[in-house]
Amino acid sequence: RKYLGREPAECYSSIDPEPLAAASIAQVHRARLVSGEEVVIKVRRPGVVGVVETDIDALMGLAVLAERHLPGSDLYDPVGLVKEFARTIRREMDFPREAHTIEKFAEHFAGDPTLHFPTVYWDQTAGGVLTMEYINGIKVSDTSALERAGLDRRLIARRGADAFLRMVLTHGFFHGDPHPGNVLILPDNVICLLDYGMVGRLDTQLKRYLTDILLAIVERDVDEVISLLLYSGDITDTLDTRA
């Protein structure tokens, strides 16, 4: 009610009180819309924003102290790390942003039958609530269930690798948390990713660099790999490159 501005009964005909999944920021419940669609509701935990902001303040204070008093700490950029963490976790708590992210991925892979992205229900999404299509799939790590369902693990692996390379090297916009709990397999070896709160972005220059180094690795061109690593600054010319 706090986020949607109306009573839950006006949106959902039923909500399972037992969560499908629970984490530190939110938990997910299965439900049914008044219009009949099966959905899941991702709900932000009450008070979590304040807790996170307090933790960020504490971390920033420690980072500033580290930079002032610990020799060599500038190598790790403690303040920069905390700033990046704060940016990431604030975005992870912004569920409308996550909903837009789902639709952006769906747009990037439009017409690709090997991937499925959950439908977002915008009338039931706001602030700390995200309502999206319920996906009934098999967790990618449940290999015995995949085999019982007659699914092709090699094909799934190829499709997953292809999708991730396209995200990184073509779109420069990729899923940032693809652990097994966030990857479901549907009939016909279709892959569905869940939880889009964390994503990564790459600019054109970095995409080109990653493409070049990947090609050099595939072609087993050691000299080119070393040259690219030197050019990027990932290693220095003082390193024993022959070793």
Side-chain angles (χ1 to χ4, degrees):
R1 181 182 181 183
K2 173 184 175 183
Y3 299 122
L4 297 176
R6 56 195 188 277
E7 293 295 335
E10 297 179 48
C11 304
Y12 311 101
S13 61
S14 64
I15 300 175
D16 188 342
E18 291 297 319
L20 279 176
S24 55
I25 291 174
Q27 61 189 49
V28 176
H29 292 261
R30 193 169 174 180
R32 186 181 295 275
L33 296 181
V34 171
S35 51
E37 294 90 342
E38 285 193 80
V39 297
V40 293
I41 312 167
K42 186 174 181 179
V43 185
R44 196 167 63 203
R45 292 188 179 280
V48 72
V49 174
V51 172
V52 168
E53 291 300 330
T54 299
D55 288 348
I56 290 171
D57 286 344
L59 285 171
M60 185 58 73
L62 291 170
V64 170
L65 286 173
E67 289 196 351
R68 287 178 181 170
H69 301 293
L70 293 181
S73 63
D74 57 322
L75 178 67
Y76 302 99
D77 187 16
V79 170
L81 285 172
V82 174
K83 286 181 178 178
E84 175 65 15
F85 167 74
R87 184 184 70 84
T88 300
I89 198 165
R90 283 169 180 152
R91 286 184 171 182
E92 201 170 347
M93 293 189 295
D94 184 347
F95 291 172
R97 174 187 283 273
E98 180 177 348
H100 282 294
T101 298
I102 294 170
E103 293 193 338
K104 186 171 183 178
F105 275 107
E107 181 182 334
H108 284 171
F109 287 91
D112 185 340
T114 69
L115 295 168
H116 178 80
F117 299 92
T119 299
V120 175
Y121 292 91
W122 282 102
D123 287 345
Q124 294 81 25
T125 295
V129 174
L130 168 59
T131 302
M132 56 187 170
E133 172 190 5
Y134 170 70
I135 303 295
N136 184 19
I138 300 171
K139 192 160 73 169
V140 70
S141 58
D142 191 347
T143 54
S144 58
L146 294 175
E147 289 182 355
R148 287 196 302 272
L151 299 171
D152 186 336
R153 289 190 290 160
R154 287 181 179 273
L155 178 58
I156 292 165
R158 283 199 299 271
R159 287 179 171 181
D162 176 70
F164 200 77
L165 286 174
R166 286 166 64 191
M167 289 179 196
V168 174
L169 301 179
T170 303
H171 307 142
F173 185 71
F174 59 92
H175 192 293
D177 194 20
H179 63 75
N182 286 339
V183 185
L184 294 180
I185 308 303
L186 310 182
D188 297 323
N189 304 294
V190 173
I191 298 171
C192 179
L193 297 175
L194 305 176
D195 194 353
Y196 295 79
M198 193 181 300
V199 296
R201 293 174 175 80
L202 301 172
D203 60 25
T204 301
Q205 182 178 353
L206 188 51
K207 284 193 295 181
R208 186 177 299 118
Y209 166 70
L210 289 173
T211 302
D212 289 343
I213 201 167
L214 180 63
L215 286 172
I217 291 169
V218 169
E219 294 171 0
R220 299 179 181 272
D221 188 341
V222 177
D223 291 335
E224 179 67 4
V225 171
I226 291 172
S227 175
L228 288 164
L229 290 173
L230 285 168
Y231 174 76
S232 70
D234 289 324
I235 62 173
T236 65
D237 55 9
T238 60
L239 189 73
D240 185 350
T241 54
R242 181 173 296 277

